[in-house]
Structures are given as structure tokens and as C-alpha cells.
Amino acid sequence: MIPLRSLTKKYSIQQHSGSNTDSRRFFRILSSFTSLTFWILALLVFIPVQVSAQDGLDIPQLSIQTQSYLHNPEAGTYLYRNAKVEWEGISVESTEILYHPEKNTLTAKGYVRVTEGEIIAVMDELEINIKDGTGIFINTIFYDASSKAYMTAKEVRRVGKNEYTAKTCTFTTCNPKSPAWQITGSEVNYYSQNFSSSSSSTLRVGGVPVFYFPYLAWPTVKRRQSGFLPPEYLIVRSSLRKFDLGYRLGIPYFWNIDPEQDLTLTYDWVERRGPGFRLDYQYAWKEGMRGEIKYQQFFERDPRDPENESGSLSSEELAVADLNPQRFKFEFNHNQQLDVQSRLIASALVYSDSQFQKEYELVVSTSPNTAQQISANINRQFSKGSITLSATQTRTFSELAILNRAIDLTQVQYLPALSFQFSDSLWRSGKSTLSSSLSGSAVRYYRVQGYNGEGASVTPRLNFQFPLFQHFNASFNVGKKISSYKVRDPDVSGSEDAYGFNILDGKAEINTTLSRTFKTDSGIYSRFKHLIKPRLQYDYIEDVRQTSTSGVPFGGTVSTRRLATLRLDNVLLVKRRFFERSVKLTSLSLDRMRRNQLDPVLIRKLALILGQEFASEKLFTEQLARLTGDKLTTQQKNTILGYVEKGVIPLLNSQVGGQTREGKSRNLASLNFVQHYDFFKKDPFFQPVGPAVKGDETESDQPLLPLRTNLIFTPSSAFSINLFNRYHHQQKRVVEYSAAVSVGLSTHNKASVNFRNNEEAYQTPFGNDVAAANTFGFSNSFEASDKLAFGFSGTVNLDADSYTFRRRLSSSALTLDYRPDCWNIRLALTENVGTTVSNSGREQEYIDRTLYAYINLGGISLPEQILPDLD
């Protein structure tokens, strides 16, 4: 045995696949000759050594850093003290590492740490083969930084790169010494950046077992593996019996068929309904293609209540067989790239009844209440346009009533439709541009009840933009819609009819921009810029008769228009002044970095700029990028900036102006006025040839429409005010107004209120319908700490009818979030006012009050639990 030697310089040795007598004899003589010298130097100075080792082409190269080592020629081993061994992305550190070159093995005892990518493992013992990467870790604490998860085990086997198998282990995202929750399992297969699984697992919360998993699988990032997924548990309670499900338990099984497809099968048990199952198949058979097929079905054991679930349909009309309807949902989506320019998209969605979404998918507002949606289209793109061939079929239920499956038979289906659009620039000179476009469609439309037929339309259009005089810009846009349709009634023979009309439309605009800039020497803002943008617009749609040859007004939906609009937009732009403090890296800064164990290599690089003062943080970070080759992350830069010392800006220093910079220009406020003038309102006896003129804000002899004013004031991203009102000249008062204020005292505390009052419902000249309203809304979210947050929101109907719908608080929500280090709880109390229709046709109001409880233990989710009847 050769005695322990402290090395004073670096050596390079080769791994030995074998040894012979001559080489050993030579090595003993050389070792005896140098042993005394090494011992003397060791008493004077101690210098760590780095050893590199290599054995042929199939053995990885080792990098060994050690303070001392002991070589045993007879056993052919090297014993390293306080050493670090690295190869192929793996690092082993220990107080004692034994290396056996012939067996290609490392054995370590005492304090042992292994690092591989984002995985760090600390253990008592280790044995690993450096050639194939297999190894055994004893009494291990295992941490994966990518998923922020800990795993402890009596024995961990490294099967391959980033792949481990653990025996008698625990899994948690808490501190493993005192976890709030953990999963214990007899065996865990762990794949870093992939998919992991465990068998015979138990979920423990506070040390108490709460759930048993015969087999549990969870994604660590990407890879998929067949197996049971965590169960789904949900409680749905409602004051309405038809929506009251009780508890619902789902057990999903994931089948990884191959890399291009997978299938998830879920068995459901609903307490007050019975069994059910779900199927979810996903595929991506080739590049540029993806799709999914989903199917759900529930086998309800009890008949439905005809008195409360037939809606407007009389319960006497229902047969006994109708009280046990089928409950299912089918969904299909396919997206495929045909070539570089073309794509095929197809989809289908079918519901068995009108209540499936509300009962089993917890959709609060089922609008539209879909019965069937089927569509397919092929789109081809060109350099200056596109063309699409499509077919759609959409059907909706007439009302929310499971026993009344009546469908709205008047909906239009397009089977098929061809649409296209192209545009091009015809001429350009300076600021003048003449462009053209062409769009259109050819369709066959169909309805179960009503007229069906075919139609085609095309709209050529020209757009001319040019400067007018010196400071004005003008634009003209003119187009003509040319259409032709044939219609027939499927229930009446010989009812074929035809209609077609050409409608000319145009828009003209003259605008300019006036601006003035103000500069200030002090204050928050360095510059102000006021923009005034007056715009005069004229909108024209030709008045055309839109009836068929037999005089029936088929398709007459394009209303004539003669509308002038004067817009006056005021915009205030600002540039904020930022005061910058100088930045200096001092000796104290470097000492603090060393005490907090920052990277020594980085500290040595920072020492090169020790004592230098930079005028701003921007200049300092630019110097950091040059020193490190721009390899620092944003987090590392912020960490370094936290250690540097900043200078002081003297208030009376004449150089303060040089220590400021201007920010980017942004919008501080805007005040816009919009005044419409409807020329058709001048003649109270005007009767259009085609459809009725849209808009009813004033009487027929009052062409000047209400003045719209909108003020937006945003002094910062944390505060904004929005005011709107509509002033009626004829009534000489404001008939509609609203106000909204949003406040963010910090990123952790935000609130908003809004108020809207509109006396009467009206329609704008563009056909937009605005409902009457008198409401007040509010919301607030507040984070008391990193662990605790709460919020509330609601809408109040200030004009609730005391005889029918008496509820003023039409909706509200109260939330509470508690987030300790490795788990979180979310509570949400919601309240909504809904309406339902009885079989007598009467609309009734009800209040839906629900408490949601959501628990997340690290990466393991327990679904929401809905608790009933909180009064």
C-alpha cells in the first residue's frame, strides 16, 4: 500500500484497463523515490489538484478535482479525499471516492452529492459505472429543479440518462424533512423532463393517509407512459333538483399507443345519475396534421321529472319512454396541412339534449344551446388573396329543457359555400395610392322550415388615398355588391322565385393632424405633445329595392345610409423624466457576493471593474454583457444589481439634468367627440325603397344625432378613468352615461368600479342595438402576503323590478387563496341570478349560490368541490 500523499501540482493519468508486472515495478520505484518529497511539500502548502483520465475511445473522459489521493497498485484503485469527479454532464462530490479503472466504477461514502442537469441527489453511499451510467444510491434525498419536487428513498437505481427507479420512497414538493403532504410508494419510476409513475402509492396529508393509488402516473414534462392517472372527484349540489348531481368520481386510464397517438378512457360514477364513460383519442399521424375524437355517455338509472323538465312542452304529451333520454356528447376536430398553401379543417360537435352542457360540463350560460355543429373547409392562400370552400350545419335547441328536444328549424345551413378575396395595389406615387380588391361568394343555403336556394355575390372595390392641399389627407372608397339568388319552398311545388340586386356603397374622409409640443425643465414629465385630429366622414349606401320577382322581400338586409360624421380627437402624449443614479461595484459588494456563495468564476470577472462608476444601470449591464460574453440570465443580472452600490443625486447640483433620461412616448389622455348627422332624418315622410333605415336615436325630423363624448385618462399603468356620455340635443340633456375607474395601488392590490345608466334602448345608424341599463359593478383583488390573497366582485341591478325579478345583486363572487410553500387552497363563493321556463310557459327566477373548494398539493391536483345551499 502506498501512503497517502498531498499533491502540490496538477497531474494527468490514464485509466488502466489492466496492468502488468513491469509497469507495477516501475511505478513502485518511482513512487518510493518521490514519496518523501511530496510529504515535505505537504507540510508547507496544500494545493488542490485536477486529474483528467481517459481509457480508450469507449470510456468517457473524467475530470477529477481532489485535495489528496491514495493509490493501491495491487487492487488497481485510487482513493480520493474531498474530491469532485465529472463526466458527460454528471458530477459526483464526496469526502471519499474510490475509483476502480478496470471495473469503470466509482464508489463513494460519507457525504455524497450527485448533480445531473437540474437533478441534485444527496446520499450516504453511491456506486456508479462511468461507462454505462448505471448505479445505486443508498439513503437518498433527490431534488428535481425543473418540477421543484423532492423524492426520498432507501435505494435509488440510475437506469440510464435522466432515468431512475426508487424503492420504498416518498414524493413531495414540500421540505422532505417535514412535508405538509407526500406520496409514499413501494416503487417509483422517475424520468426527468419526461413522465413518471409509481405503484402501490398512498397520498398522505399531514401524515394522515387520505387516498390509495394502485398505480399513479404524472408528467414531469414531456414523455407519455400508459397507466392510471390521478382520479377526479367533484361534488355538484344545486337547489334545483334537475341540476343536482351529488358527488362525481372519475377514474382515467391513459394508453400511450405510440408517439403519434394516445387514448384516455375514463370511468365515471355520478351519485344521483349512475355510471358513465369518456373516451378521448388524440392523433398526429404525420407532420402538419393533428386531431382528436371525444365521446361521453351517461347511463342514467332514474326517469326525469316531466313536471319540471318539459319546459314549454306539455307534460301530458310525453310518453314513458321519453323520460329516460340518452345523454351523450360527441366531438371531432381535424386540422391538416395539405401543402404549403392549403389547409383542411373539419369539426363536429353533437349534444344529445339541451341540458348536457349545464349538468355535466358546468356551463353557466349555454348560449348558444348547441344541438349540432358540423363544418369542413379547405383554404388555399395566394400571394394576394385566398379562396375557401366550406360547408356548415348548425342546429340549436329551442329552450333549456331536457324533455323538450325541439330544434330551431329556421336556421340557415350552408351546403356548400365558396368564398374568395383578392387585393392589389394598382398605382402609387409619393403619398398617393390607388388599390383594388375583389371579394365574393357562391352558396347553397338550406333550412328545414322556410325557403331554400342558391346565391352568388361579388363585390369589386377601389380605394384611393391622396394628400389634399398641404396639410390635409383624403380617401375615397367605393364598391358595388352584385348579387343573384334563387329561392324555393320545399313544402310547395312550383314555388321557385328569384331576386338579385346591385348595391353601391362608398366612404369618403378628409382629415388632418395639428400638433404642438411643450417642454418642461422640471417635474415628472419632460415633454407634452397635444395632437388634434379633426375628421370629416361621409358614409353612403344606395337605396335599392331588394325584393324578388314576385314581390317577396327575400334577403333584404342591407339598409340604405346617408350619414355624415364629424370626429374631433384630442390626444395628449407625454415623455416621462427618469432620474438615474450612478452604479459602482465596491469591495464591500464583492465581499457580500462571496459570503452568499455566488459563482467564484463570475466574482473574478467582476473584480476587473472593481471601483469603476457607471452613470446608469443600463451602462453597467452593458459592461456585464461584455465581461461574460452576454451569457448571464435576467435573474443573474438582477442578483448582481442587488449587490452594487448606487450613488446619490444632489437636489441642488447643476449636473442633475445630465443624470436624467426620457422614457418612451405614451398616451396620457384622450378626449374624443363624435357627432353624427343623418340626412334621411330631414324628411319625416321618407320611405326607403329597400329595407327600413337603421337607427332610432331621434325622431324622423331630427337629423342631428346625440353627441358622443369619451374621455380616457391614464396617468400610469396602475390608474385609469374612462368617462362616456351621449348628449341629446333635442332633449337638451344627457340620456346615457358611464364611468369606469381602475386603480392599482401596487401589483398586489387592484380594484375597479364601473357605473352605467341608459334610460331607453336604442339602435345606432350602423344597426347596433343598445339595451337599457342602470347597473353598478365592482371588483377588488388584494394579496396580503405571498401566502394569502383575497378578492371580491359583483354587479348590482339598480332598476330591479319588484314585481317580477327582485334580485338587485345579479352576480357576485368572493375568493380566498392560501398558498403555503408546497400547496394551496382556493375558496370561491359565487352567486348568480338565473331564469327558467315552466311547462306553463312562465319564466321564473332562481338564485344559484355555490361554494367552490380547490386544493392543489404541489403538482398533484384535487378537483374542485362544490358545496350546496349556503343561505
Side-chain angles (χ1 to χ4, degrees):
M1 177 74 71
I2 303 299
L4 181 68
R5 293 160 292 175
S6 296
L7 304 184
T8 59
K9 57 182 179 180
K10 295 183 180 179
Y11 287 84
S12 177
I13 65 173
Q14 299 291 322
Q15 292 186 15
H16 301 281
S17 58
S19 62
N20 54 56
T21 305
D22 293 338
S23 61
R24 290 184 177 180
R25 185 181 297 111
F26 174 79
F27 193 87
R28 287 183 184 136
I29 295 173
L30 180 62
S31 299
S32 300
F33 179 77
T34 57
S35 178
L36 181 60
T37 304
F38 286 153
W39 276 107
I40 294 174
L41 293 175
L43 296 175
L44 299 176
V45 63
F46 179 84
I47 302 176
V49 64
Q50 178 167 328
V51 182
S52 63
Q54 188 176 3
D55 181 31
L57 298 177
D58 57 342
I59 305 299
Q61 181 176 350
L62 299 181
S63 174
I64 305 174
Q65 300 179 31
T66 183
Q67 292 180 344
S68 61
Y69 78 90
L70 178 66
H71 174 55
N72 188 337
E74 295 180 357
T77 60
Y78 294 85
L79 180 63
Y80 300 100
R81 302 286 188 183
N82 298 325
K84 181 178 181 181
V85 181
E86 297 177 295
W87 77 98
E88 293 187 345
I90 304 176
S91 170
V92 177
E93 301 174 71
S94 179
T95 54
E96 182 178 293
I97 298 177
L98 182 65
Y99 174 47
H100 199 304
E102 293 183 2
K103 298 180 180 179
N104 300 312
T105 60
L106 288 178
T107 304
K109 294 183 178 181
Y111 174 80
V112 186
R113 183 170 72 175
V114 176
T115 304
E116 181 181 4
E118 297 192 29
I119 292 178
I120 301 174
V122 179
M123 64 213 69
D124 293 340
E125 297 182 30
L126 168 146
E127 181 177 338
I128 190 168
N129 188 304
I130 64 172
K131 185 175 181 179
D132 58 20
T134 60
I136 301 176
F137 307 158
I138 305 299
N139 296 331
T140 306
I141 298 178
F142 187 97
Y143 176 71
D144 189 344
S146 62
S147 59
K148 298 181 180 179
Y150 293 90
M151 185 170 64
T152 64
K154 291 183 177 180
E155 179 183 293
V156 176
R157 291 184 178 270
R158 187 182 188 275
V159 181
K161 186 176 181 180
N162 293 322
E163 183 177 348
Y164 302 86
T165 300
K167 303 286 187 180
T168 315
C169 60
T170 66
F171 175 85
T172 183
T173 56
C174 306
N175 185 338
K177 296 182 179 180
S178 57
W181 71 272
Q182 65 180 359
I183 292 177
T184 61
S186 60
E187 180 175 310
V188 169
N189 296 312
Y190 195 88
Y191 304 89
S192 175
Q193 299 293 313
N194 282 300
F195 202 91
S196 302
S197 61
S198 65
S199 59
S200 300
S201 304
T202 303
L203 172 63
R204 294 176 177 268
V205 178
V208 178
V210 296
F211 209 95
Y212 173 75
F213 307 92
Y215 186 84
L216 176 65
W218 68 93
T220 50
V221 173
K222 301 175 184 175
R223 186 179 171 184
R224 304 170 305 162
Q225 179 173 314
S226 300
F228 285 99
L229 301 178
E232 304 168 357
Y233 184 69
L234 185 69
I235 296 177
V236 181
R237 302 301 303 273
S238 173
S239 56
L240 296 178
R241 186 169 179 264
K242 60 183 178 180
F243 299 135
D244 190 13
L245 302 182
Y247 70 80
R248 177 176 170 180
L249 177 66
I251 303 176
Y253 180 82
F254 178 80
W255 180 19
N256 179 26
I257 302 174
D258 56 44
E260 290 77 33
Q261 55 186 337
D262 59 60
L263 174 66
T264 302
L265 296 171
T266 303
Y267 172 77
D268 279 299
W269 176 260
V270 185
E271 179 188 9
R272 304 194 177 185
R273 293 288 189 268
F277 79 92
R278 285 175 281 161
L279 177 149
D280 186 353
Y281 173 68
Q282 300 183 86
Y283 61 87
W285 295 323
K286 63 179 183 179
E287 185 178 359
M289 174 195 291
R290 64 182 182 274
E292 63 178 0
I293 299 174
K294 295 182 179 181
Y295 183 75
Q296 300 182 43
Q297 185 167 356
F298 293 89
F299 306 93
E300 298 185 353
R301 59 177 180 266
D302 300 326
R304 310 296 295 207
D305 181 8
E307 293 295 330
N308 297 317
E309 301 190 65
S310 58
S312 58
L313 183 67
S314 174
S315 58
E316 287 76 13
E317 301 178 31
L318 299 173
V320 176
D322 297 332
L323 303 183
N324 292 92
Q326 287 190 337
R327 312 297 305 279
F328 66 85
K329 173 190 175 182
F330 173 78
E331 185 176 2
F332 167 72
N333 293 289
H334 180 83
N335 191 313
Q336 180 178 353
Q337 184 174 355
L338 303 178
D339 55 39
V340 179
Q341 296 176 272
S342 305
R343 181 169 291 276
L344 167 66
I345 300 175
S347 66
L349 177 63
V350 179
Y351 283 101
S352 61
D353 57 82
S354 61
Q355 289 184 188
F356 191 97
Q357 294 183 69
K358 190 171 182 64
E359 288 184 48
Y360 292 114
E361 298 181 324
L362 302 182
V363 177
V364 177
S365 177
T366 55
S367 179
N369 199 339
T370 303
Q372 178 179 300
Q373 288 182 353
I374 300 176
S375 68
N377 71 76
I378 298 176
N379 175 268
R380 185 167 182 83
Q381 297 286 332
F382 302 94
S383 59
K384 297 181 180 180
S386 66
I387 185 170
T388 302
L389 176 64
S390 63
T392 62
Q393 186 179 44
T394 303
R395 295 183 178 181
T396 61
F397 292 103
S398 299
E399 61 179 334
L400 185 67
I402 185 174
L403 298 181
N404 184 3
R405 299 192 178 187
I407 303 293
D408 181 2
L409 302 178
T410 63
Q411 279 192 307
V412 177
Q413 321 295 329
Y414 296 97
L415 304 168
L418 177 69
S419 59
F420 59 90
Q421 61 87 22
F422 294 92
S423 61
D424 194 10
S425 179
L426 301 178
W427 174 78
R428 184 185 299 272
S429 177
K431 295 182 179 181
S432 301
T433 304
L434 177 63
S435 60
S436 65
S437 65
L438 182 68
S439 62
S441 63
V443 302
R444 179 188 183 276
Y445 62 93
Y446 170 81
R447 286 181 292 195
V448 177
Q449 290 183 358
Y451 282 85
N452 305 320
E454 302 84 32
S457 67
V458 61
T459 304
R461 190 172 296 278
L462 288 175
N463 183 48
F464 184 36
Q465 297 181 351
F466 58 96
L468 184 65
F469 308 116
Q470 185 175 359
H471 301 291
F472 289 85
N473 298 313
S475 66
F476 290 101
N477 188 303
V478 61
K480 190 164 188 176
K481 182 178 180 179
I482 305 170
S483 60
S484 177
Y485 294 89
K486 290 184 178 181
V487 295
R488 66 190 65 84
D489 190 341
D491 299 327
V492 180
S493 59
S495 61
E496 185 169 321
D497 202 350
Y499 67 93
F501 41 84
N502 304 334
I503 304 177
L504 180 69
D505 69 87
K507 293 182 181 180
E509 178 177 328
I510 300 175
N511 64 72
T512 188
T513 301
L514 308 175
S515 65
R516 185 173 182 180
T517 303
F518 306 90
K519 187 175 181 180
T520 63
D521 296 327
S522 62
I524 298 177
Y525 301 110
S526 59
R527 297 189 196 186
F528 295 86
K529 188 173 185 179
H530 181 206
L531 302 178
I532 303 177
K533 301 180 178 180
R535 287 187 287 174
L536 180 60
Q537 301 168 319
Y538 182 72
D539 193 1
Y540 170 86
I541 296 179
E542 186 181 8
D543 186 15
V544 175
R545 184 177 180 84
Q546 299 176 38
T547 58
S548 67
T549 54
S550 62
V552 179
F554 289 113
T557 58
V558 183
S559 298
T560 184
R561 187 182 301 152
R562 307 282 193 279
L563 187 69
T565 303
L566 174 63
R567 296 183 60 97
L568 184 62
D569 297 341
N570 291 268
V571 180
L572 183 61
L573 302 175
V574 295
K575 285 191 174 183
R576 185 166 182 173
R577 177 182 287 111
F578 291 93
F579 293 88
E580 294 198 306
R581 300 171 64 182
S582 61
V583 176
K584 180 188 290 187
L585 195 65
T586 64
S587 299
L588 180 60
S589 302
L590 292 180
D591 291 340
R592 290 169 58 202
M593 293 181 189
R594 294 188 185 99
R595 286 197 302 269
N596 288 280
Q597 299 181 347
L598 262 70
D599 186 1
V601 177
L602 180 58
I603 294 177
R604 286 197 296 270
K605 291 181 179 180
L606 293 176
L608 299 175
I609 58 174
L610 179 64
Q612 295 185 25
E613 187 168 2
F614 299 87
S616 66
E617 288 185 358
K618 181 181 178 181
L619 296 175
F620 178 73
T621 54
E622 290 176 353
Q623 182 63 38
L624 283 181
R626 288 191 289 269
L627 283 175
T628 60
D630 201 16
K631 296 181 179 180
L632 292 179
T633 64
T634 303
Q635 182 178 358
Q636 288 174 319
K637 293 177 182 178
N638 293 335
T639 301
I640 295 173
L641 287 172
Y643 287 105
V644 299
E645 296 187 13
K646 297 183 178 180
V648 178
I649 300 176
L651 295 178
L652 300 178
N653 194 328
S654 60
Q655 297 180 351
V656 170
Q659 292 180 267
T660 62
R661 64 178 175 86
E662 286 186 332
K664 295 182 178 180
S665 177
R666 68 175 189 85
N667 192 325
L668 176 66
S670 62
L671 177 62
N672 303 328
F673 302 93
V674 181
Q675 178 68 74
H676 294 301
Y677 186 91
D678 193 340
F679 288 90
F680 284 133
K681 296 286 184 178
K682 292 192 300 182
D683 182 3
F685 304 103
F686 171 77
Q687 293 294 328
V689 176
V693 178
K694 293 182 178 180
D696 58 1
E697 295 184 77
T698 64
E699 301 296 335
S700 60
D701 58 344
Q702 302 292 338
L704 194 65
L705 305 188
L707 172 66
R708 298 169 179 267
T709 305
N710 192 16
L711 170 65
I712 301 175
F713 177 57
T714 311
S716 69
S717 58
F719 180 74
S720 66
I721 299 176
N722 191 324
L723 301 175
F724 169 81
N725 69 62
R726 195 166 57 96
Y727 178 78
H728 204 297
H729 302 276
Q730 286 73 42
Q731 299 183 26
K732 297 183 179 179
R733 62 188 181 90
V734 174
V735 292
E736 180 186 5
Y737 56 93
S738 65
V741 179
S742 176
V743 180
L745 300 179
S746 68
T747 56
H748 310 289
N749 188 359
K750 298 179 181 179
S752 66
V753 293
N754 60 81
F755 173 78
R756 179 171 177 263
N757 181 277
N758 179 35
E759 298 179 4
E760 296 180 355
Y762 64 92
Q763 186 184 71
T764 70
F766 301 96
N768 300 322
D769 294 313
V770 182
N774 187 14
T775 60
F776 173 75
F778 57 90
S779 68
N780 177 252
S781 62
F782 177 72
E783 295 183 20
S785 66
D786 292 339
K787 297 182 178 180
L788 181 64
F790 64 88
F792 57 86
S793 62
T795 302
V796 179
N797 182 7
L798 301 178
D799 282 341
D801 189 338
S802 59
Y803 296 100
T804 54
F805 304 132
R806 295 175 292 177
R807 184 69 176 180
R808 288 190 176 274
L809 187 62
S810 58
S811 66
S812 63
L814 176 65
T815 61
L816 175 67
D817 291 272
Y818 179 59
R819 301 182 296 266
D821 294 336
C822 57
W823 62 295
N824 65 70
I825 295 178
R826 179 178 177 83
L827 301 176
L829 175 64
T830 64
E831 203 173 64
N832 293 283
V833 176
T835 58
T836 184
V837 179
S838 65
N839 55 10
S840 62
R842 182 182 177 185
E843 194 174 36
Q844 298 177 341
E845 181 185 73
Y846 68 91
I847 299 174
D848 181 11
R849 185 180 294 111
T850 309
L851 175 66
Y852 296 84
Y854 174 75
I855 302 176
N856 185 294
L857 300 176
I860 308 299
S861 297
L862 298 181
E864 293 179 352
Q865 305 209 8
I866 302 180
L867 308 180
D869 305 335
L870 298 175
D871 295 323

